[in-house]
Amino acid sequence: MKVKVISRSTDEFTRERSNDLQRVFRNFDPSLRTQEKAVEYVRALNAAKMEKIFARPFVGAMDGHIDSVSCMAKNPNHLKGIFSGSMDGDIRLWDIASRRTICQFPGHQGAVRGLTASTDGRILVSCGTDCTVRLWNVPLATGMESDDSSDNSAKQLAAYVWKNAFWAVDHQCDGNLFATAGAQVDIWDHNRSQPVNSFEWGKDTVISVRFNPGEPNVLATSASDRSIAIYDLRMSSPTTKLIMRTRTNSISWNPMEPMNFTAANEDCSCYSYDARKLDEAKCVHKDHVSAVMDIDYSPTGREFVTGSYDRTIRIFQYNGGHSREIYHTKRMQRVFCVKFSCDGSYVISGSDDTNLRLWKANASEQLGVLLPRERKNHEYREAVKNRYKHLPEVKRIVRHRHLPKPIFKASALRRIMIDAERKKDERRRAHSAPGSIPRESIRKKRIIKEIE
């Protein structure tokens, strides 16, 4: 009698160290599992449906301002702290975890238009329409944990009065300088009451300014003359200027690819550019139906969030033409400022209805501590969904979003207008001499000229 015994070497399936991966032996012969693809397809469908079922992006609202929230700023040293400024001059520091005000910064007599924190997170810089730049002492992290709110006013370090109103401010990622935008671009030092340098290119108002996260001496601005300008503090004059057909409201640099930035435009779209080659946009991000007011990149650099005048928030992939997510509530009004949290897990928005709102960056993400089996289950669902995301039914479920009726109707009308314009161009080209009407790429269409 013959007895067949399976024998294998212990070294083949035993880990040498506890950190090594466990070896798994599988037979991938398709004849052994004929229904494998069918089973995984059904699991992908179920995973896509369950993602919709568990999609609860709205976490909570932070109420306290009595006028529109006009600007926000993150503190690089406090993960759960965020600053907000309103149109009545009120500045607040919020604890995102408890969704309450930690302290207030009274002093501005007009609308607060810009907020930014220093590199070490100890100084808050604010500016507004009252022609003043104010420096504030930020409470330490221990102060954010205390429940004593009897004296929650912060100490003002300095106040600088200038000749014109300010529209934006941004601090160097590594240094003691900060830049303000107004009638011109002014560069300030913490210890100086006058600007150490000023840049001017044209006579129009500069409405936004952002320092490059990789090169501290480079900054980008947008102005009301529809221009985007690149400045270098090491040079006495501006470097490059790009004129577009419509105005750019805000700019955000990609933190992982500091040569790239994305501009939020009045024409309902965002445009990603390479600062070294401004004659063509790298990507056009479309979906909003009204002016895009603010934009902010995730710390990972893989996606960014936008807030729009159409009362919605959208999250885009850094190289995606359409948004992967849209957030809205019935009570939320025009969104003037948006920020990603410092860990990229949450999105904070400030709107015209005086509220700050906290959202999950991933709508169906489960909050709290996950057990190892739960985490593995979520990872498996995500992997199966990504494997079959190209199939029509899975793609339809993943892409579907419920829109407010005004947004839905405006989107349909906008598509009709774009199709009509495209047909008109095609007919004009068909009835003209060959080559007399050149085809223009959408990435170049909104650019008028580049000035060196």
Side-chain angles (χ1 to χ4, degrees):
M1 174 180 168
K2 289 184 178 180
V3 178
K4 291 185 178 179
V5 179
I6 298 176
S7 64
R8 64 176 71 166
S9 173
T10 311
D11 298 334
E12 292 181 359
F13 60 89
T14 305
R15 291 184 293 179
E16 294 181 2
R17 292 177 295 274
S18 60
N19 293 331
D20 291 348
L21 294 175
Q22 187 75 45
R23 291 188 181 182
V24 180
F25 294 90
R26 291 199 179 116
N27 189 341
F28 292 102
D29 185 5
S31 61
L32 296 178
R33 299 176 63 193
T34 55
Q35 296 296 316
E36 179 184 14
K37 285 190 176 180
V39 171
E40 284 193 342
Y41 173 68
V42 172
R43 288 176 181 171
L45 279 177
N46 291 337
K49 292 174 182 176
M50 290 179 73
E51 185 184 35
K52 296 298 174 194
I53 292 172
F54 292 114
R56 298 289 186 273
F58 182 64
V59 178
M62 292 176 276
D63 189 13
H65 286 293
I66 58 174
D67 207 339
S68 304
V69 181
S70 56
C71 55
M72 290 192 297
K74 293 181 285 190
N75 192 329
N77 279 8
H78 295 164
L79 182 64
K80 60 177 185 175
I82 191 163
F83 302 97
S84 66
S86 67
M87 299 295 282
D88 64 342
D90 185 24
I91 303 173
R92 291 173 181 249
L93 170 60
W94 301 86
D95 182 8
I96 296 177
S98 61
R99 299 201 292 277
R100 63 187 178 89
T101 303
I102 298 301
C103 71
Q104 293 179 259
F105 304 82
H108 278 284
Q109 301 301 316
V112 181
R113 284 295 183 177
L115 288 173
T116 185
S118 62
T119 308
D120 56 6
R122 296 183 180 180
I123 297 176
L124 173 69
V125 183
S126 65
C127 66
T129 56
D130 57 355
C131 307
T132 60
V133 176
R134 298 176 188 267
L135 274 63
W136 311 84
N137 184 32
V138 177
L140 297 175
T142 54
M144 297 187 66
E145 305 296 337
S146 64
D147 294 327
D148 183 16
S149 58
S150 57
D151 183 16
N152 59 353
S153 295
K155 178 184 176 183
Q156 181 173 301
L157 299 177
Y160 307 140
V161 181
W162 198 232
K163 296 176 288 188
N164 51 266
F166 297 102
W167 287 89
V169 64
D170 194 40
H171 201 283
Q172 263 185 330
C173 296
D174 184 15
N176 293 322
L177 300 179
F178 62 90
T180 58
Q184 58 188 6
V185 179
D186 296 316
I187 311 299
W188 303 72
D189 191 288
H190 288 182
N191 304 316
R192 300 281 297 275
S193 61
Q194 298 283 332
V196 296
N197 200 354
S198 294
F199 295 99
E200 190 174 7
W201 197 343
K203 297 298 180 184
D204 289 273
T205 305
V206 183
I207 56 177
S208 73
V209 58
R210 284 289 178 93
F211 271 100
N212 189 306
E215 179 51 66
N217 292 312
V218 175
L219 66 150
T221 65
S222 64
S224 56
D225 63 349
R226 304 166 298 166
S227 67
I228 299 173
I230 307 291
Y231 296 86
D232 193 331
L233 303 185
R234 296 162 296 190
M235 300 176 64
S236 59
S237 60
T239 310
T240 315
K241 191 174 185 180
L242 179 72
I243 308 293
M244 298 189 67
R245 294 189 183 277
T246 45
R247 193 178 74 173
T248 297
N249 290 317
S250 183
I251 291 174
S252 183
W253 294 90
N254 190 328
M256 293 292 107
E257 299 173 357
M259 74 291 291
N260 298 331
F261 67 89
T262 303
N265 206 272
E266 282 276 336
D267 66 351
C268 316
S269 301
C270 297
Y271 299 88
S272 291
Y273 290 98
D274 189 330
R276 303 164 298 183
K277 187 175 181 293
L278 291 174
D279 60 343
E280 181 181 5
K282 292 188 68 176
C283 188
V284 181
H285 314 273
K286 302 178 292 185
D287 264 349
H288 281 294
V289 296
S290 191
V292 187
M293 303 302 295
D294 197 17
I295 182 172
D296 187 50
Y297 261 95
S298 166
T300 62
R302 300 294 93 184
E303 56 190 16
F304 60 86
V305 61
T306 59
S308 172
Y309 211 74
D310 62 10
R311 300 173 293 176
T312 63
I313 302 162
R314 290 183 184 265
I315 299 177
F316 292 83
Q317 298 291 338
Y318 78 104
N319 57 356
H322 295 279
S323 60
R324 72 160 178 86
E325 205 65 74
I326 175 171
Y327 294 157
H328 54 86
T329 65
K330 288 185 178 180
R331 295 186 180 185
M332 186 165 70
Q333 297 301 311
R334 299 166 295 189
V335 182
F336 289 135
C337 49
V338 287
K339 291 290 180 186
F340 256 104
S341 63
C342 291
D343 61 350
S345 300
Y346 297 94
V347 169
I348 304 100
S349 66
S351 55
D352 205 10
D353 58 357
T354 75
N355 278 359
L356 275 78
R357 288 178 171 81
L358 184 64
W359 313 80
K360 290 188 284 188
N362 294 317
S364 58
E365 184 181 8
Q366 183 176 341
L367 297 180
V369 179
L370 289 180
L371 296 174
R373 290 183 65 181
E374 286 181 312
R375 186 178 292 105
K376 287 181 180 178
N377 189 20
H378 290 176
E379 290 172 356
Y380 175 74
R381 284 184 193 166
E382 194 67 26
V384 170
K385 192 179 66 181
N386 286 335
R387 184 176 181 182
Y388 293 92
K389 64 182 179 182
H390 62 282
L391 296 178
E393 191 65 19
V394 178
K395 185 192 294 185
R396 184 188 66 82
I397 296 171
V398 169
R399 289 181 57 188
H400 179 71
R401 297 288 182 277
H402 285 289
L403 296 175
K405 189 176 286 186
I407 306 296
F408 182 79
K409 290 184 175 179
S411 301
L413 180 62
R414 187 169 172 79
R415 283 194 297 270
I416 292 172
M417 292 167 64
I418 291 172
D419 288 343
E421 186 178 355
R422 179 181 53 80
K423 288 178 182 177
K424 186 175 181 180
D425 286 344
E426 292 293 336
R427 288 169 180 164
R428 183 182 287 116
R429 188 174 291 108
H431 291 83
S432 302
S436 60
I437 303 178
R439 293 185 181 274
E440 201 170 10
S441 168
I442 191 171
R443 298 184 180 187
K444 296 183 177 181
K445 202 170 186 180
R446 306 299 297 179
I447 300 173
I448 295 178
K449 63 179 176 177
E450 180 185 2
I451 307 171
E452 293 288 344

